[in-house]
């Protein structure tokens, strides 16, 4: 699965799906029956009381299939339906790209990298593409420090992918300690506080902290390139 869930190539045809990325560290275009399994992903909420995570042929960027998330209405507040993949190790560069279609608010795409330790606490950077904005947050684990916990950069505060397919890319470069973010045609770079690295980065997708209403999201062509 790391090299591509279905990386078959017809020599006489233009490559599609994961076949376009033979050098990827990870790729899933959701065109195979096992695309949502935990042999491909670290966690996949396929059988969940909160909602469903299935393959659909109703819409996709690279046919025939995409991943379809749905959280049922009247679920507990801040419910999740998650698909995520963790990459163990430290990386000099780490890039994630995907195409998403958000049916309504309360959906999310994120890249998390844990890295910096200060006063006994471990901090992470979280790049989160929500249905109404793109943000970068510095967050601590194991406690709170007012000087750094919850530091937030609003990257595209008016961004909204609701009701349309949007290509997304998040790239981390250790040599410059920068995060590059692309959402549709918009691009911006942010410099992280010192000493951050992409340690055990995780990419995750799905309805995020719903408010009791139903939430839906489509996902296709998840590609990761990584340089240790």
């Amino acid at each position: 699965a790391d090299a591509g869930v279905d990386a078959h190539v017809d020599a006489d045809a233009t490559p599609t799906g994961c076949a376009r990325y033979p050098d990827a560290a990870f790729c899933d275009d959701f065109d195979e029956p096992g695309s949502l399994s935990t042999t491909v992903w670290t966690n996949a909420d396929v059988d969940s009381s909160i909602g469903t995570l299935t393959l659909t042929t109703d819409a996709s960027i690279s046919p025939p299939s995409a991943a379809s998330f749905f959280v049922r209405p009247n679920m507990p507040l801040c419910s999740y339906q998650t698909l995520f993949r963790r990459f163990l190790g430290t990386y000099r560069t780490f890039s994630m790209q995907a195409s998403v279609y958000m049916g309504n608010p309360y959906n999310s795409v994120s890249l998390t990298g844990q890295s910096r330790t200060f006063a006994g606490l471990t901090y992470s950077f979280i790049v989160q593409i929500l249905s109404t904005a793109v943000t970068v947050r510095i967050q601590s684990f194991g406690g709170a420090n007012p000087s750094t916990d919850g530091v937030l950069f609003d990257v595209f505060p008016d961004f909204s992918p609701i009701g349309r397919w949007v290509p997304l890319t998040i790239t981390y470069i250790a040599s410059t300690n920068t995060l590059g973010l692309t959402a549709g045609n918009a691009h911006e770079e942010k410099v992280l506080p010192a000493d951050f690295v992409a340690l055990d980065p995780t990419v995750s997708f799905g309805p995020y902290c719903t408010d009791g209403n139903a939430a839906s999201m489509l996902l296709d062509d998840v590609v990761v390139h990584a340089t240790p």
Side-chain angles (χ1 to χ4, degrees):
D2 285 359
V5 174
D6 57 346
H8 52 271
V9 180
D10 185 338
D12 298 323
T14 301
T16 60
C18 287
R20 293 173 293 170
Y21 309 101
D23 298 327
F26 174 83
C27 183
D28 195 347
D29 55 18
F30 304 104
D31 291 341
E32 296 293 330
S35 291
L36 297 177
S37 71
T38 52
T39 58
V40 178
W41 295 86
T42 305
N43 183 78
D45 289 338
V46 175
D47 297 314
S48 168
S49 61
I50 299 297
T52 59
L53 171 56
T54 60
L55 297 179
T56 180
T57 57
D58 292 342
S60 65
I61 289 296
S62 61
S65 304
S68 175
F69 300 80
F70 177 71
V71 168
R72 300 180 180 92
N74 303 314
M75 291 294 104
L77 293 180
C78 216
S79 293
Y80 296 81
Q81 188 75 8
T82 305
L83 182 68
F84 74 82
R85 178 66 149 78
R86 181 175 293 113
F87 298 82
L88 299 179
T90 302
Y91 296 87
R92 289 177 291 143
T93 64
F94 191 92
S95 177
M96 183 275 291
Q97 67 187 66
S99 291
V100 299
Y101 184 107
M102 296 181 178
N104 51 359
Y106 306 103
N107 288 287
S108 174
V109 174
S110 68
L111 165 63
T112 302
Q114 298 183 25
S115 56
R116 184 170 181 254
T117 300
F118 175 76
L121 304 178
T122 299
Y123 289 85
S124 70
F125 64 81
I126 301 174
V127 183
Q128 196 158 59
I129 300 174
L130 299 167
S131 47
T132 55
V134 179
T135 62
V136 180
R137 181 182 297 275
I138 309 301
Q139 180 174 309
S140 70
F141 291 84
N145 184 301
S147 65
T148 52
D149 187 39
V151 174
L152 185 70
F153 306 106
D154 286 319
V155 184
F156 308 127
D158 299 320
F159 170 79
S160 177
I162 295 177
R164 61 191 176 107
W165 280 103
V166 177
L168 306 170
T169 303
I170 306 172
T171 301
Y172 171 78
I173 302 175
S175 61
T176 54
N177 206 30
T178 55
L179 282 167
L181 301 103
T182 302
N185 295 323
H187 179 78
E188 189 167 339
E189 293 188 357
K190 290 291 183 181
V191 178
L192 290 170
D195 303 326
F196 275 85
V197 296
L199 173 63
D200 297 346
T202 299
V203 295
S204 61
F205 310 89
Y208 166 79
C209 213
T210 59
D211 67 344
N213 293 314
S216 63
M217 173 179 163
L218 298 175
L219 173 69
D220 207 0
D221 290 359
V222 178
V223 183
V224 170
H225 290 89
T227 306

